[in-house]
C-alpha cells in the first residue's frame, strides 16, 4: 500500500521539480542577461575614461598656446570637467 501511494505521488513530485527547474532556468537566464548588460556598461565606461584622458592631454597642450586669461580659464575649466567625468566613470566601474 505504501509503495502504491508513493507511485501515485510521483507525478506530482515530478511536476513540482519540473516547475522548480524551469524557475531556476529563468532566473539563470535573467542573471546572464544582466551580466551581459553590466559588461557592456563597463566597456562603455572604460571607453569614456580613455576618451576623457585623451581630451585632457589635448587640452593641456592647448593651454600652452593660450593667449588670454579667458582662454586659459576655459581650458582649465574643461580639464576639471573631464577629470570629474573620469572620477564619476571610475566610481561607477567599481
Amino acid at each position: 500500500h505504501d509503495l502504491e501511494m508513493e507511485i501515485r505521488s510521483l507525478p506530482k513530485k515530478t511536476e513540482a521539480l519540473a516547475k522548480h527547474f524551469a524557475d531556476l532556468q529563468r532566473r539563470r537566464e535573467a542573471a546572464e542577461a544582466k551580466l551581459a548588460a553590466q559588461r557592456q556598461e563597463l566597456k562603455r565606461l572604460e571607453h569614456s575614461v580613455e576618451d576623457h584622458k585623451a581630451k585632457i592631454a589635448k587640452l593641456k597642450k592647448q593651454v600652452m598656446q593660450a593667449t588670454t586669461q579667458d582662454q586659459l580659464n576655459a581650458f582649465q575649466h574643461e580639464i576639471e570637467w573631464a577629470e570629474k567625468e573620469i572620477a564619476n566613470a571610475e566610481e561607477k566601474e567599481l
Side-chain angles (χ1 to χ4, degrees), residues 28-76:
R28 180 184 58 89
E29 289 169 357
E32 287 175 348
K34 185 176 180 180
L35 179 61
Q38 288 175 340
R39 284 182 177 156
Q40 195 171 32
E41 176 66 9
L42 181 59
K43 282 184 181 181
R44 187 192 67 76
L45 290 170
E46 288 171 349
H47 288 292
S48 175
V49 167
E50 290 173 11
D51 291 345
H52 287 300
K53 285 182 179 181
K55 183 174 185 174
I56 288 172
K58 180 181 174 184
L59 288 169
K60 284 183 178 180
K61 288 179 184 177
Q62 290 177 333
V63 163
M64 300 305 218
Q65 299 170 352
T67 57
T68 67
Q69 187 63 35
D70 289 339
Q71 287 177 334
L72 183 61
N73 290 340
F75 288 135
Q76 289 174 339

Side-chain angles (χ1 to χ4, degrees), residues 17-31:
L17 287 173
K19 285 181 182 179
H20 182 65
F21 177 74
D23 180 53
L24 290 175
Q25 203 168 17
R26 281 191 300 277
R27 290 173 49 197
R28 180 184 58 89
E29 289 169 357

